[in-house]
Amino acid sequence: MSEREVLELLRENARYSAADIARMTDLEEREVEAAIEELEAAGLVRGYQAVVDWDRLEDERVRAEVELNVRLDRETGYDDIAERLARFPQVKALRLVSGDYDFDMEVEGDSIREVSQFISEKVAPVPEITQTVTHYVMTSYKENGIELGDGEDDDRLSFSP
């Protein structure tokens, strides 16, 4: 049995039952249950979450991608900064990246003001952070591999000369 196969199916749909996965992999249901328990115990499966299309809710939910540049010193490394930032509940994802900036941080809040205040009052003052660039998410078309929206075709008017 391939752990990767079970992981891929769980990523595709975390609501698959052990019986569903067993049918798809030609494994016994108890083998699938044992495999999932082992993956969870080993920390490979860290949780299960719903993919939410926030644009369909009437309540405002503001999301932003924040680029962070940092300056390291002898006592402070990337892991130290990441550990400090990851503790904030507003931080939904934090990644060390290559390129023009050091960290990519996903932040959520109830309003633009809340997100802006979080960044200016909690993130920017971290001594090692030298620059923040905030990009507010206007619309999400795909999250965690799942297409969002109403599923209808392109509603732009066609043009022909």
Side-chain angles (χ1 to χ4, degrees), residues 14-90:
R15 293 189 67 182
Y16 282 147
S17 68
D20 294 333
I21 294 172
R23 278 191 300 279
M24 291 183 240
T25 59
D26 294 327
L27 297 170
E28 295 294 322
E29 188 173 339
R30 65 182 174 280
E31 290 177 296
V32 172
E33 290 168 348
I36 292 171
E37 286 176 18
E38 288 174 22
L39 291 166
E40 290 171 344
L44 285 160
V45 174
R46 306 290 287 232
Y48 301 89
Q49 296 180 345
V51 176
V52 178
D53 188 347
W54 291 107
D55 293 340
R56 290 180 167 243
L57 284 178
E58 290 181 25
D59 296 341
E60 182 181 11
R61 191 74 183 153
V62 175
R63 292 174 295 141
E65 295 285 332
V66 184
E67 301 172 6
L68 302 173
N69 280 315
V70 301
R71 182 180 310 119
L72 302 178
D73 58 36
R74 291 180 185 210
E75 292 85 37
T76 308
Y78 290 118
D79 290 345
D80 299 315
I81 297 166
E83 187 177 311
R84 194 172 330 154
L85 293 171
R87 288 185 182 145
F88 291 110
Q90 295 91 334

Side-chain angles (χ1 to χ4, degrees), residues 157-161:
L157 295 174
S158 62
F159 173 80
S160 57

Side-chain angles (χ1 to χ4, degrees), residues 115-149:
V115 170
S116 296
Q117 282 182 320
F118 168 70
I119 294 165
S120 65
E121 295 174 9
K122 301 294 184 186
V123 176
V126 172
E128 296 81 10
I129 294 177
T130 60
Q131 181 183 27
T132 66
V133 178
T134 304
H135 305 275
Y136 288 96
V137 176
M138 306 304 287
T139 300
S140 287
Y141 297 101
K142 190 171 186 177
E143 294 282 343
N144 294 343
I146 296 174
E147 289 187 45
L148 304 177

